Amino acid sequence: MTYALEEEHVLLRAVLSVVPAATVRLALGTAEGWQTFAGASAAVDQLRLEASQCTPLVVLTEGRSDVAILEPSFALLYPHLKDLVRFMDFAYRPVGGAGPLASTLRTFAAAGIANRVVGLFDNDTAGCDALRALRPDTLPGNLRALRYPDLELARRYPTIGPPTCDAPEGRQEHADINGAACSIELYLGRDLLVREDGSLPPVQWRSFVPGVNRYQGEITNKAALQQDFQTKVRTATASPSAMATQDWSGLQAICATVLTAFH
């Protein structure tokens, strides 16, 4: 076989991938050309990177509820791109949470997965702690570990602290919960979050995480918000014009984070 290629080490690696048991010889025109073989083994990463451009972007999340919200949101907000993004089926990763997501990304890195993969962590204390331990800058070029973007809504949000002598049921205070309590439910839109009396469902502070030196918080009515979101999706699917009256800004921000992960 005869090929014309400027980077001979890439060609050599490609041929060996197809016929690993064969003896392959490359005749180079000049003595200087032999220096290109110093990078022959490194060509594997280049081949994987180029191949990944032709495969769907795979998105991993912390749990099933994230996929149940993000997948239909992406289809509604970016219908022309929905075939280019795949959300991981939790039938193949039944354990949820920030720690298992970090472990999955490490496994993908060790296995040399060719696809471009984005691991999306919640914008909360557990997510920040998992990202700290994962060290995203050490992952291969086709893997990204990111968290949900900060929300303006969350910069001053009602929270319920632990009980004290003066407040046995906990005291309600406002706090910036970005990086401490922003799970996917905080991104469903003001039209779902704001209650009839104009208030927001508070975040309950729970366990303290020493790794990042702050408490983990959780919104108080997750299940109800998730059910309301499914109604919101059905309304938007039946009548796309209804989306103009709905708030999708939080979910748009997450989708933009995915779409720009490799830019």
Side-chain angles (χ1 to χ4, degrees), residues 63-99:
R64 288 185 175 90
S65 59
D66 299 78
V67 174
I69 289 170
L70 290 175
E71 196 165 31
S73 298
F74 199 92
L76 285 167
L77 294 168
Y78 302 95
H80 57 296
L81 298 177
K82 65 179 182 180
D83 292 332
L84 303 179
V85 178
R86 295 284 185 272
F87 291 87
M88 185 170 180
D89 186 346
F90 264 76
Y92 300 100
R93 190 173 74 88
V95 180

Side-chain angles (χ1 to χ4, degrees), residues 127-221:
C128 290
D129 191 42
L131 280 169
R132 176 192 60 80
L134 178 62
R135 296 176 57 201
D137 57 312
T138 64
L139 293 173
N142 64 313
L143 301 183
R144 293 287 188 274
L146 307 169
R147 64 181 174 90
Y148 295 152
D150 286 354
L151 286 168
E152 188 62 35
L153 172 73
R155 298 196 186 283
R156 182 176 171 79
Y157 198 89
T159 67
I160 301 174
T164 64
C165 291
D166 294 333
E169 296 182 0
R171 191 185 306 277
Q172 184 162 313
E173 302 283 353
H174 284 79
D176 185 347
I177 60 170
N178 285 303
C182 288
S183 58
I184 190 68
E185 290 77 20
L186 270 294
Y187 295 81
L188 300 184
R190 285 180 176 271
D191 50 346
L192 294 191
L193 288 169
V194 177
R195 298 183 288 198
E196 291 184 1
D197 62 358
S199 65
L200 293 164
V203 158
Q204 175 73 60
W205 293 119
R206 299 193 181 279
S207 57
F208 183 77
V209 181
V212 287
N213 198 36
R214 58 175 176 264
Y215 283 90
Q216 165 78 3
E218 184 177 299
I219 198 165
T220 51
N221 63 340

Side-chain angles (χ1 to χ4, degrees), residues 34-47:
W34 182 256
Q35 300 303 315
T36 62
F37 281 92
S41 60
V44 178
D45 292 336
Q46 182 177 340
L47 289 170

Side-chain angles (χ1 to χ4, degrees), residues 99-114:
L101 173 55
S103 296
T104 301
L105 287 171
R106 290 192 191 96
T107 301
F108 280 19
I113 297 296

